[in-house]
Amino acid sequence: MDRQSRDIVVVAASAGGVQALQRLVSQLPADLAATLFVVVHIGTNRPSLLPHLLSRAGPIPAYHPVHGQPIERGRIYVAPPDLHMRLQPGAIHLDRGPKVRHTRPAADPLFESAAATYGARTVGVVLTGGDFDATAGARAIKAQGGLIIVQQPHEAEAPSMPLSALRDDHPDHILHIDDMPSLLVDLAEGM
């Protein structure tokens, strides 16, 4: 039986997201057979230290990508402030398209582009946050055969995003953050 390697991991977080992401990446192995793409809602005029914080928290290097940057396995790409991050075949697209639910970057453009480009290889992770960003994107990933992991809402500092993803569709996994890294490893390896 052929197993699907799920090596494109898109992650959405908002309120409380920095701490949740640090906890998640601190438990990932350096040789993870996947690439992570992260969107955290951040103000347009604020610098983001998130790549630095994530690189310090775990063994996988994190970066703000540049437009057109080739995708490399074993990296964490963090959407820069005021830019949507979308995935194209083998590369990252950054743009100042319209704000989605009053924010840029937003998770839905990332999730939807990953679903359209990488289909069943995509894993969407919805972490703590307010509002309902990532809900439409999670639906798009599921429609293309990808998987959705949602943080346990009672563990989330701001449970609105996880609850919205739960209410909208049936995620594949509802987990505590500490249970996510081993699952991501297994999914990346096609287990």
Side-chain angles (χ1 to χ4, degrees), residues 13-27 40 50 53-54 57 127-128 151 155-158 177-178:
S14 187
V18 173
Q19 294 82 6
L21 286 162
Q22 287 175 310
R23 201 160 134 203
L24 175 67
V25 304
S26 72
Q27 300 175 63
V40 175
L50 190 55
L53 295 173
L54 296 182
L127 300 176
T128 180
Q151 181 181 8
E155 178 189 59
E157 182 177 313
I177 287 180
D178 293 334

Side-chain angles (χ1 to χ4, degrees), residues 39-97:
V39 167
V40 175
H41 300 154
I42 187 167
T44 55
N45 296 318
R46 296 172 47 192
S48 172
L49 298 175
L50 190 55
H52 173 72
L53 295 173
L54 296 182
S55 291
R56 287 188 60 191
I60 301 174
Y63 307 93
H64 281 310
V66 296
H67 178 71
Q69 181 166 347
I71 294 170
E72 294 182 55
R73 179 177 279 183
R75 300 281 187 268
I76 301 171
Y77 297 105
V78 179
D82 202 31
L83 292 170
H84 289 308
M85 180 167 63
R86 302 175 205 266
L87 303 187
Q88 298 176 334
I92 298 169
H93 175 86
L94 300 174
D95 66 71
R96 282 198 173 81

Side-chain angles (χ1 to χ4, degrees), residues 1-186:
M1 176 177 169
D2 259 350
R3 299 262 182 195
Q4 173 70 54
S5 174
R6 298 182 188 270
D7 58 347
I8 301 293
V9 180
V10 292
V11 184
S14 187
V18 173
Q19 294 82 6
L21 286 162
Q22 287 175 310
R23 201 160 134 203
L24 175 67
V25 304
S26 72
Q27 300 175 63
L28 291 172
D31 62 349
L32 181 68
T35 306
L36 275 70
F37 303 87
V38 175
V39 167
V40 175
H41 300 154
I42 187 167
T44 55
N45 296 318
R46 296 172 47 192
S48 172
L49 298 175
L50 190 55
H52 173 72
L53 295 173
L54 296 182
S55 291
R56 287 188 60 191
I60 301 174
Y63 307 93
H64 281 310
V66 296
H67 178 71
Q69 181 166 347
I71 294 170
E72 294 182 55
R73 179 177 279 183
R75 300 281 187 268
I76 301 171
Y77 297 105
V78 179
D82 202 31
L83 292 170
H84 289 308
M85 180 167 63
R86 302 175 205 266
L87 303 187
Q88 298 176 334
I92 298 169
H93 175 86
L94 300 174
D95 66 71
R96 282 198 173 81
K99 290 183 177 183
V100 177
R101 279 172 295 293
H102 312 290
T103 190
R104 184 178 52 230
D108 281 332
L110 172 62
F111 279 41
E112 291 166 353
S113 67
T117 305
Y118 292 101
R121 289 173 57 188
T122 307
V123 177
V125 180
V126 182
L127 300 176
T128 180
D131 202 1
F132 55 93
D133 191 19
T135 300
R139 191 179 324 119
I141 290 170
K142 292 272 291 185
Q144 294 299 321
L147 298 178
I148 298 299
I149 301 169
V150 174
Q151 181 181 8
Q152 280 281 358
H154 65 81
E155 178 189 59
E157 182 177 313
S160 298
M161 279 173 50
L163 284 171
S164 180
L166 286 171
R167 288 184 190 121
D168 185 72
D169 206 346
H170 302 288
D172 300 281
H173 302 276
I174 304 162
L175 300 173
H176 293 279
I177 287 180
D178 293 334
D179 296 327
M180 292 180 187
S182 61
L183 177 60
L184 292 174
V185 168
D186 288 348

